[in-house]
Each structure stands twice: as structure tokens, then as C-alpha cells.
């Protein structure tokens, strides 16, 4: 584990989900790894189990040796982390949990519930570091500095906490505290456990890693684990403006970052036949990077990139105490979106969730007080209620007919003669034209 964390005074043993350590320790007592796998499978399927006393050893009697429980009790924790506090948004859509690590450090994770017409889709936003070295000027976590990396087990345990709150949690996004690709081995190891059909069993594309643009790791992630989606935190249309608001961008030039993402997309193209492969995140800072000229420059920058398989996710800034930025007006955000849409880019404006519990994008901070609308995955967008369904233009009439049957109304009239495409953005029917975006909300 990297970073500057110290465990000499840790009150709990390491996580049983630090599987490399677990495997080595089992070898010392001549226990075959298949017994370790059986144990982890049981724990993954029972996220409510938080101590060894909670384990139903009778159910595992034929799958683990008799000597294992006593050994594990001394050497490992079922849950090396604990929930220090929980904060629920007033509308019930968002829960932020402050997670205390075994050395006393704290990180935050966010559980987001997206109600669809048919069910509730749940996403968990996890942290990968205590603090962050990237020091983005608009992000509360960046004011903390980098205080240490999380282990693979500490990351997985955040998802288990989410599953204990919401068993239907099916998406995981690394958009909490830290730069995930600066804790590469632990993050990739955690992703593999989340995707493993024996354990958390998330589907390919349901796990997304966000990065400011760590070039070498972007390429490596595509090679090592192409099942994991990628979100690029771009936030500016050119190098100079990006460096002004994101100091770490000085070490990651924008052209090299985009080339690395192109290479990443090329590795994933054979695996995923349709839909966006890359999410480009762009925070809108009022009066700073949200002008029409910025939108045009962003369109130029992304034109002919990523094999056309991208989505631009515009994030209106969530005000944070002591940070010098303002939230743009809704009209400004929509105007920015319209310019990108005219350029042929799939684009949505993120709907903020959890700001009343300081769980929205850019607000996570190790502070005992008290989340944003985090995407389904890089390869899906998050509107208000669920997944994207793309319609070919010829199916426009069908889609609009379904809209009427559902009792919804368009917020504007469609302009005749425009090129149209229709998508259901999480229960929000979005009609894409060459001039604007129309939304119909239930």
C-alpha cells in the first residue's frame, strides 16, 4: 500500500478482502486457496455480516477447514472499516457514509438511488485515496492533499457497505476521494473482485474509473482490465485553462491525454458493440469555463476523437465553502449543451443529487458534517431515472407515441425539418436535434 498511512496503532486487523495477503497467510497454515474463495463468496453474498461472530460457520462447514475460523479471527477483519456516520438527503435519493479506516483515517462514499419507471437503480461512488494530490481548485477533496492510499479491501468494503444499505447496488464509480489511477494496483485489484462472478458479480461496464488524465495508466488500464469503463475529468477546452484550474494538468498535456484515451478506446472497441465507451466530464464554473467560445473550443477538441463513442457529461459546479467559484445558471448550462449537441456530440447535463449532505460532485471532504448524479458507467449516461435507450431517427414517431401514452408532454415544440434522434435518459425522454435538446419529464 502506498501513501503515508501508518498502521502501528490500528485497532483492527487488515481486511479479508486484501486477497493477496489472505492467500499468503492461508499458505502458512496449509489451507488451500479454494477454501479462501468459498469464504469470500459467502461474505460477498452476505454484506450484512460485519464480524466473524456474524458468520454462519455451519453453512460453510463442508467448505472451510475446522481450524480456519480461529485463525481468521486473529489475523483478519470481516470489515476492517466501519461507518462513522451516515447522512441521508431529504429526498431520500442519496446517502453519504463517512467510512473510518482501521488507522483512524476517514473517507466518504455515496449511495445514489435512481428511480426508474420499472425499478430503482442504485450506484455506489467510492473513494480510492485519503485526500488527493491533484489539487483541483474547484474540488473540496483537493484541499486536503494526499494523505494515503486505500487498500484493495478497503475499496471493496465501501461497496459491501452500499450493498448492506441497498442490496440492489449494481453500479460502482470511482469518483469519490482521490485520483484512482495514482493508486493503480489496489484500484484494478478491487475492480476485478467487483467484476468476479464468484464475488460481487457486477457486469462488465458497470464499474467506471474516473481520472484527470494519468497518461501511462490510461493506456495500461485498457490492456489490463478492458471490462472497466473510463471517465475523463477534462474540465477545460485547452491546456492553458486546464492548468489554471487543475495544477496537475501541467504534468499531463491535453494532447497526450486524448491520445491515451484514443488508445484505450481502441482496446475496448472489439468488446463493446454499441454505446459510448468514454465519458468526458466537464465541470461548468460560472464565468470561468462556461462561455460559448469554451463550448466551441471543446467541440473542436473532441471532434473525431474516441471513434465517436463518447458522451460529454456537463456538471454544473456545486458550491463549496472557501472555494472561489460560482454555479452557472441553468440557461448557461443549456446553452453550452446546445452548442455541443449542434456539433454532433452526445451530451447531457448532470442532475445534482445529495448536495444537502455535501455528497455532490466536488464536495467530498474528510469532515464530520452533514452526491452527485454519478453516471451508470462510462458507457451510459445518467439522466433522472435510469438507462439510455437509443432510437434511430425512423423510430421517432414511435418514441413520441410512447411518450404520449405515458402521459408526458414535450417542453418545446419540435422544429420541422430538423435531424432528430431520441433517447430515454433515465426515464427522461430526450429528443436530440441539430439545434437543441428537448426534455419531457414525468
Amino acid at each position: 500500500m502506498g501513501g503515508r498511512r501508518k498502521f502501528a496503532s490500528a485497532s483492527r486487523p487488515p481486511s479479508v478482502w486484501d486477497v493477496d495477503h489472505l492467500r499468503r497467510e492461508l499458505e502458512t497454515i496449509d489451507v488451500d486457496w479454494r477454501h479462501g474463495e468459498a469464504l469470500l463468496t459467502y461474505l460477498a453474498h452476505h454484506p450484512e455480516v460485519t464480524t466473524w461472530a456474524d458468520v454462519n460457520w455451519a453453512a460453510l462447514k463442508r467448505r472451510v477447514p475446522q481450524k480456519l475460523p480461529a485463525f481468521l479471527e486473529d489475523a483478519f477483519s470481516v470489515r476492517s472499516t466501519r461507518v462513522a456516520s451516515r447522512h441521508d438527503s431529504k429526498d431520500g435519493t442519496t446517502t453519504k457514509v463517512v467510512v473510518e479506516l482501521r488507522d483512524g483515517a476517514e473517507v466518504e462514499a455515496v449511495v445514489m438511488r435512481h428511480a426508474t419507471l420499472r425499478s430503482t437503480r442504485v450506484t455506489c461512488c467510492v473513494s480510492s485515496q485519503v485526500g488527493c494530490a491533484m489539487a483541483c481548485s474547484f474540488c473540496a477533496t483537493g484541499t486536503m492533499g494526499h494523505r494515503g492510499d486505500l487498500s484493495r479491501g478497503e475499496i471493496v468494503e465501501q461497496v459491501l457497505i452500499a450493498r448492506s444499505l441497498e442490496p440492489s447496488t449494481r453500479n460502482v464509480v470511482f469518483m469519490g476521494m482521490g485520483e484512482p489511477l495514482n493508486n493503480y494496483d489496489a484500484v484494478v485489484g478491487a475492480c476485478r473482485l467487483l467484476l468476479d462472478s464468484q464475488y460481487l458479480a457486477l457486469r462488465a461496464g458497470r464499474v467506471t474509473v474516473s481520472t484527470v488524465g494519468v497518461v501511462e495508466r490510461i493506456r495500461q488500464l485498457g490492456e489490463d482490465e478492458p471490462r472497466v469503463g473510463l471517465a475523463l475529468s477534462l474540465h477545460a477546452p485547452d491546456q492553458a485553462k486546464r492548468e489554471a484550474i487543475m495544477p496537475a494538468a501541467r504534468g499531463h498535456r491535453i494532447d497526450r491525454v486524448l491520445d491515451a484515451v484514443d488508445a484505450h478506446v481502441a482496446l475496448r472497441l472489439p468488446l463493446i458493440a454499441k454505446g459510448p465507451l468514454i465519458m468526458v466530464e466537464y465541470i461548468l464554473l460560472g464565468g470561468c469555463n462556461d462561455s460559448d467560445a469554451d463550448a466551441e473550443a471543446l467541440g473542436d477538441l473532441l471532434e473525431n476523437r474516441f471513434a465517436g463513442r463518447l458522451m460529454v457529461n456537463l456538471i454544473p459546479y456545486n458550491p463549496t465553502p472557501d472555494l472561489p467559484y460560482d454555479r452557472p445558471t441553468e440557461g448557461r448550462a443549456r446553452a453550452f449543451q446546445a452548442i455541443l449537441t449542434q456539433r454532433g456530440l452526445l451530451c447531457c447535463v448532470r442532475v445534482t443529487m445529495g448536495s444537502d449532505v455535501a455528497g455532490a460532485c466536488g464536495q467530498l471532504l474528510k469532515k464530520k458534517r452533514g452526491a452527485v448524479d454519478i453516471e451508470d458507467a462510462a458507457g451510459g449516461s445518467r439522466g433522472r431515472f435510469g438507462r439510455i435507450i437509443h432510437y434511430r431517427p425512423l423510430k421517432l414517431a414511435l418514441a413520441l407515441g410512447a411518450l404520449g401514452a405515458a402521459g408526458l408532454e414535450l417542453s418545446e415544440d419540435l422544429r420541422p425539418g430538423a435531424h432528430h434522434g431520441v433517447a430515454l435518459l433515465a426515464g427522461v425522454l430526450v429528443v436530440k436535434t441539430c439545434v437543441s435538446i428537448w426534455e419531457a419529464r414525468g
Side-chain angles (χ1 to χ4, degrees):
M1 169 155 23
R4 300 188 294 274
R5 295 174 61 198
K6 297 179 181 180
F7 296 96
S9 60
S11 60
R12 296 177 290 277
S15 173
V16 72
W17 288 99
D18 288 321
V19 293
D20 291 342
H21 182 39
L22 176 63
R23 187 192 293 265
R24 288 193 300 269
E25 292 299 307
L26 293 185
E27 288 175 356
T28 66
I29 59 170
D30 297 321
V31 172
D32 191 90
W33 176 240
R34 64 189 171 87
H35 299 305
E37 290 180 325
L39 173 68
L40 294 178
T41 299
Y42 171 86
L43 294 176
H45 294 167
H46 295 84
E48 73 282 359
V49 171
T50 60
T51 70
W52 294 119
D54 298 331
V55 175
N56 183 353
W57 292 109
L60 286 167
K61 186 175 181 181
R62 296 182 180 179
R63 302 173 66 191
V64 300
Q66 196 169 10
K67 64 182 175 181
L68 191 56
F71 171 78
L72 290 170
E73 183 137 7
D74 291 333
F76 291 93
S77 298
V78 172
R79 196 69 58 81
S80 68
T81 61
R82 72 175 189 89
V83 176
S85 61
R86 169 179 173 170
H87 310 271
D88 295 295
S89 63
K90 291 178 181 178
D91 62 7
T93 63
T94 307
T95 298
K96 182 179 77 170
V97 290
V98 178
V99 179
E100 182 188 271
L101 310 179
R102 67 190 185 97
D103 62 343
E106 291 181 347
V107 295
E108 297 179 347
V110 183
V111 178
M112 292 154 288
R113 305 166 185 86
H114 316 302
T116 73
L117 296 177
R118 292 172 295 182
S119 63
T120 297
R121 177 173 53 84
V122 183
T123 297
C124 175
C125 174
V126 299
S127 294
S128 57
Q129 296 180 307
V130 182
C132 183
M134 298 296 101
C136 295
S137 62
F138 48 80
C139 179
T141 306
T143 66
M144 294 174 59
H146 177 226
R147 302 183 184 181
D149 294 340
L150 271 64
S151 72
R152 180 188 325 192
E154 289 169 331
I155 295 170
V156 171
E157 286 185 19
Q158 292 174 69
V159 182
L160 292 171
I161 290 170
R163 282 263 175 102
S164 69
L165 298 174
E166 290 289 349
S168 61
T169 300
R170 73 181 195 187
N171 303 310
V172 174
V173 292
F174 286 75
M175 298 181 184
M177 298 167 69
E179 164 52 60
L181 296 189
N182 278 350
N183 187 17
Y184 185 82
D185 291 340
V187 166
V188 172
C191 288
R192 287 174 173 161
L193 290 171
L194 297 177
L195 292 162
D196 194 312
S197 59
Q198 287 191 92
Y199 306 140
L200 280 295
L202 297 178
R203 290 169 52 191
R206 296 291 191 188
V207 179
T208 301
V209 170
S210 178
T211 178
V212 301
V214 184
V215 172
E216 296 76 12
R217 296 303 197 185
I218 289 173
R219 296 178 187 273
Q220 187 179 352
L221 181 63
E223 295 170 355
D224 291 346
E225 196 44 81
R227 295 176 297 172
V228 173
L230 184 70
L232 174 63
S233 295
L234 188 60
H235 304 317
D238 59 66
Q239 182 65 23
K241 187 165 286 191
R242 197 164 189 254
E243 288 183 12
I245 62 175
M246 303 170 66
R250 298 186 187 101
H252 307 288
R253 293 200 59 81
I254 202 166
D255 54 341
R256 294 189 62 231
V257 170
L258 298 185
D259 288 345
V261 175
D262 272 325
H264 179 96
V265 168
L267 290 166
R268 298 190 71 210
L269 272 173
L271 303 177
I272 303 176
K274 58 184 179 180
L277 292 177
I278 294 294
M279 185 189 310
V280 177
E281 299 174 300
Y282 191 100
I283 193 164
L284 292 171
L285 304 170
C288 178
N289 66 346
D290 64 342
S291 69
D292 287 357
D294 290 321
E296 294 287 1
L298 183 61
D300 291 339
L301 186 69
L302 298 178
E303 191 172 19
N304 300 320
R305 284 285 188 174
F306 317 147
R309 302 278 295 276
L310 74 152
M311 168 185 289
V312 180
N313 190 223
L314 301 177
I315 309 167
Y317 174 68
N318 296 299
T320 303
D322 304 323
L323 297 185
Y325 296 106
D326 296 317
R327 185 179 179 91
T329 65
E330 182 175 353
R332 179 88 300 269
R334 293 300 177 187
F336 198 102
Q337 179 190 34
I339 290 171
L340 295 179
T341 303
Q342 287 176 328
R343 302 291 296 268
L345 293 170
L346 181 60
C347 179
C348 68
V349 175
R350 183 176 287 185
V351 179
T352 299
M353 296 170 64
S355 59
D356 59 334
V357 292
C361 184
Q363 291 185 324
L364 298 189
L365 177 66
K366 197 214 83 171
K367 194 172 183 178
K368 293 186 179 177
R369 64 175 182 194
V372 0
D373 164 14
I374 303 284
E375 276 44 54
D376 209 347
S381 107
R382 197 214 100 44
R384 197 165 275 187
F385 302 102
R387 64 194 178 97
I388 296 184
I389 302 173
H390 293 285
Y391 294 85
R392 296 171 186 263
L394 289 177
K395 294 186 178 180
L396 175 61
L398 256 174
L400 295 180
L403 174 68
L408 305 175
E409 296 180 359
L410 288 173
S411 60
E412 295 187 31
D413 292 330
L414 291 175
R415 302 182 187 182
H419 171 72
H420 300 105
V422 177
L424 185 65
L425 289 184
V428 178
L429 187 76
V430 175
V431 181
K432 176 182 172 185
T433 76
C434 63
V435 292
S436 188
I437 290 281
W438 282 266
E439 293 186 357
R441 302 181 184 271

